[in-house]
């Protein structure tokens, strides 16, 4: 499969995101339209501090009719940039031929992408990776600017903190690959001391600011137990889930929702064969010294999600990118057999069908939610018109809504309803 074909297929699959309508918490996140937003929205709130989301929500409040189109557009622009960054870094690392195509396809055709590219509230995830990749591209020549982009990644989503560890280490690996020196010695590792000290200082400053600005406990939202730190065996389970989702094409919709075990068995079998081929070509003695820092990079980028009680598929996104890059680097000298290439092509073909299946399921949910919303909005309008007719005192009314109706209008907590009398 040629690179242009992979990009074309990925583009077609991505366009499907524009047909996805908002459901459930898509209406409550900071990146949804907000007519008004107080200072607390820009302050740390429990596990969260995402001022970029808050800025986006204010902008969307001025262009409500463009929701969720602009959200989808920004996510896909970030995805396109991340794909461009992957290709650029693979070229820089002297990864060519089938290996380069395989690495690109692992990222751009993965069914795990659906949870991010088809999600309305994944702006933070998409920006976090895009800023992180920018820091990696700039690190060699513009270190200060690189740290600025890492900080932007952190303010996009808390997991961006991992780039303080990943960027210096990956940059070292990429330089070695660029110079065709796949051996990292002790001297190379000691060169990381200075950048890591700078990273620690920035993180400490960030932590102090968070502690100082943390929102009052009474406004911290409940219901986010999945973000409560969980250590021990849970970390190992989460790591296996995230890495497994990144390098497999298992249809989780068929497994957990539709219980179509024929599809599950087929996708599991194909995934096992694919993983076996990849491991066979990556885990080699001559790759050991470059293998270790790449694995450490994968663990580092995944680590913020390992302490979660239940990481979801959308959390696979940054790990998927680095796994694709790592596989490309580790297999750049591989001699792929015709049978292996055929099985890999079959895996990607299966992945495309799983991608479509997941996307269609999300699309159906959106259509059902839209019908319910349309019905509820019609009823809400009748109630509001009657209320305004009876009071006939003001043009603007503060109307408190329930959680369900709150989502209908698309503004949090209390909605400022503008009624022309």
């Amino acid at each position: 499969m040629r690179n242009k074909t992979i990009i074309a297929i990925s583009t077609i699959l991505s366009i499907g995101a524009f047909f996805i309508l908002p459901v459930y918490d898509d209406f409550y996140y900071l990146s949804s339209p907000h007519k008004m937003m107080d200072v607390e929205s820009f302050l740390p709130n429990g596990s969260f501090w995402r001022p970029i989301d808050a800025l986006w929500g204010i902008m969307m409040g001025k262009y409500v009719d463009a929701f969720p189109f602009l959200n989808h557009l920004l996510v896909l622009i970030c995805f396109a940039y991340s794909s461009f960054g992957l290709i650029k870094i693979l070229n820089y690392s002297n990864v060519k031929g089938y290996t380069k195509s395989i690495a690109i396809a692992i990222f751009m055709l993965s069914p795990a992408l659906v949870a991010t590219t088809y999600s309305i509230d994944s702006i933070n995830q998409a920006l976090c990776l895009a800023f992180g990749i920018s820091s990696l591209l700039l690190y060699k020549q513009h270190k200060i600017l690189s740290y600025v982009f890492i900080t932007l990644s952190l303010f996009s989503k808390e997991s961006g903190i991992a780039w303080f560890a990943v960027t210096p280490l990956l940059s070292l690996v990429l330089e070695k690959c660029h110079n065709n020196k796949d051996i990292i010695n002790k001297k190379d590792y000691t060169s990381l001391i200075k950048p890591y000290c700078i990273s620690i200082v920035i993180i400490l400053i960030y932590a102090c600011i968070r502690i100082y600005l943390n929102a009052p406990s009474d406004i911290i939202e409940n219901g986010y137990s999945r973000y409560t730190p969980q250590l021990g065996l849970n970390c190992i389970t989460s790591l296996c889930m995230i890495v497994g989702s990144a390098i497999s094409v298992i249809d989780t919709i068929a497994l957990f929702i539709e219980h179509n075990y024929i599809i599950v068995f087929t996708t599991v079998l194909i995934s096992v064969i694919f993983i076996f081929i990849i491991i066979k070509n990556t885990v080699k003695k001559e790759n050991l010294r470059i293998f270790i820092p790449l694995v450490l990079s994968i663990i580092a980028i995944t680590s913020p999600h390992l302490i979660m009680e239940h990481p979801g598929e959308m959390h696979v996104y940054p790990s998927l990118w680095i796994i694709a890059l790592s596989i490309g680097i580790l297999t750049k000298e591989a001699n792929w057999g015709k049978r292996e290439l055929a099985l890999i092509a079959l895996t990607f073909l299966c992945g495309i069908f799983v991608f479509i299946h997941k996307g269609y399921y999300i699309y159906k949910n959106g259509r059902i939610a839209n019908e319910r919303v349309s019905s509820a909005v019609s009823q809400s309008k009748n109630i509001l018109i009657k209320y305004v007719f009876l009071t006939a005192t003001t043009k603007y009314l503060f109307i408190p809504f329930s959680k369900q109706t709150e989502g209908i209008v698309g503004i949090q907590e209390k909605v400022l309803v503008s009624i022309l009398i």
Side-chain angles (χ1 to χ4, degrees), residues 251-261 263-264 267 357:
D251 193 333
T252 51
I253 297 296
L255 176 61
F256 296 113
I257 298 174
E258 297 177 347
H259 304 297
N260 188 328
Y261 295 112
I263 294 177
V264 173
T267 55
H357 184 212

Side-chain angles (χ1 to χ4, degrees), residues 190-318:
T190 56
S191 68
L192 295 174
I193 295 175
K194 182 179 177 181
Y196 279 156
C197 287
I198 295 172
S199 296
I200 291 170
V201 170
I202 297 173
I203 291 170
L204 287 174
I205 294 171
Y206 169 80
C208 291
I209 295 173
R210 279 202 67 155
I211 293 169
Y212 179 76
L213 295 178
N214 198 48
S217 59
D218 59 338
I219 70 165
I220 294 176
E221 296 182 14
N222 295 318
Y224 288 95
S225 59
R226 66 184 296 185
Y227 294 98
T228 304
Q230 304 285 327
L231 302 175
L233 184 61
N234 183 76
C235 292
I236 299 173
T237 304
S238 298
L239 178 64
C240 293
M241 190 284 291
I242 291 174
V243 174
S245 296
I247 58 175
S248 73
V249 292
I250 298 173
D251 193 333
T252 51
I253 297 296
L255 176 61
F256 296 113
I257 298 174
E258 297 177 347
H259 304 297
N260 188 328
Y261 295 112
I262 295 176
I263 294 177
V264 173
F265 176 78
T266 304
T267 55
V268 168
L269 179 61
I270 292 174
S271 297
V272 169
I273 294 172
F274 176 73
I275 292 171
F276 174 78
I277 294 171
I278 294 299
I279 291 176
K280 176 187 172 186
N281 287 278
T282 54
V283 183
K284 295 182 178 180
K285 188 177 181 180
E286 57 268 28
N287 284 341
L288 185 60
R289 292 194 178 182
I290 205 82
F291 178 82
I292 293 173
L294 287 172
V295 170
L296 289 174
S297 297
I298 293 170
I299 294 173
I301 201 68
T302 309
S303 59
H305 301 128
L306 298 183
I307 61 174
M308 296 171 59
E309 185 177 0
H310 301 295
E313 270 197 5
M314 74 175 297
H315 302 111
V316 176
Y317 187 59

Side-chain angles (χ1 to χ4, degrees), residues 37-266:
M37 198 172 281
D38 50 24
V39 177
E40 281 80 6
S41 299
F42 293 90
L43 299 180
N45 192 338
S47 302
F48 304 97
W49 190 14
R50 301 174 185 176
I52 295 178
D53 266 10
L55 287 172
W56 181 264
I58 290 176
M59 188 203 75
M60 288 306 300
K62 298 180 183 298
Y63 305 99
V64 179
D65 291 340
F67 178 77
F69 175 82
L70 287 183
N71 289 52
H72 286 309
L73 182 62
L74 180 57
V75 170
L76 294 183
I77 289 173
C78 290
F79 169 63
Y81 176 77
S82 299
S83 302
F84 161 78
L86 176 63
I87 295 170
K88 186 176 179 65
I89 292 173
L90 287 171
N91 290 335
Y92 185 79
S93 303
N94 299 314
V95 179
K96 302 174 183 177
Y98 288 120
T99 298
K100 180 181 174 182
S101 299
I102 290 168
I104 294 170
I106 286 173
F107 178 68
M108 297 189 71
L109 300 181
S110 172
L113 282 176
V114 176
T116 297
T117 57
Y118 275 40
S119 175
I120 294 167
D121 58 34
S122 63
I123 288 175
N124 49 64
Q125 190 84 282
L127 283 173
C128 183
L129 178 60
F131 287 138
I133 293 171
S134 297
S135 74
L136 188 57
L137 292 171
L138 293 167
Y139 186 79
K140 181 183 176 182
Q141 295 179 333
H142 306 281
K143 284 187 172 58
I144 295 175
L145 195 54
S146 176
Y147 279 109
V148 169
F149 274 104
I150 295 176
T151 305
L152 286 173
S153 177
L154 178 57
F155 281 120
S156 299
K157 191 171 184 180
E158 299 74 21
S159 56
I161 197 171
W163 286 99
F164 283 109
V166 172
T167 297
L169 181 58
L170 259 186
S171 180
L172 174 62
V173 173
L174 297 180
E175 283 305 308
K176 290 292 182 179
C177 293
H178 178 67
N179 297 319
N180 291 316
K181 296 178 180 178
D182 295 345
I183 297 176
I184 299 179
N185 52 42
K186 290 182 179 179
K187 186 178 179 181
D188 294 319
Y189 282 114
T190 56
S191 68
L192 295 174
I193 295 175
K194 182 179 177 181
Y196 279 156
C197 287
I198 295 172
S199 296
I200 291 170
V201 170
I202 297 173
I203 291 170
L204 287 174
I205 294 171
Y206 169 80
C208 291
I209 295 173
R210 279 202 67 155
I211 293 169
Y212 179 76
L213 295 178
N214 198 48
S217 59
D218 59 338
I219 70 165
I220 294 176
E221 296 182 14
N222 295 318
Y224 288 95
S225 59
R226 66 184 296 185
Y227 294 98
T228 304
Q230 304 285 327
L231 302 175
L233 184 61
N234 183 76
C235 292
I236 299 173
T237 304
S238 298
L239 178 64
C240 293
M241 190 284 291
I242 291 174
V243 174
S245 296
I247 58 175
S248 73
V249 292
I250 298 173
D251 193 333
T252 51
I253 297 296
L255 176 61
F256 296 113
I257 298 174
E258 297 177 347
H259 304 297
N260 188 328
Y261 295 112
I262 295 176
I263 294 177
V264 173
F265 176 78
T266 304

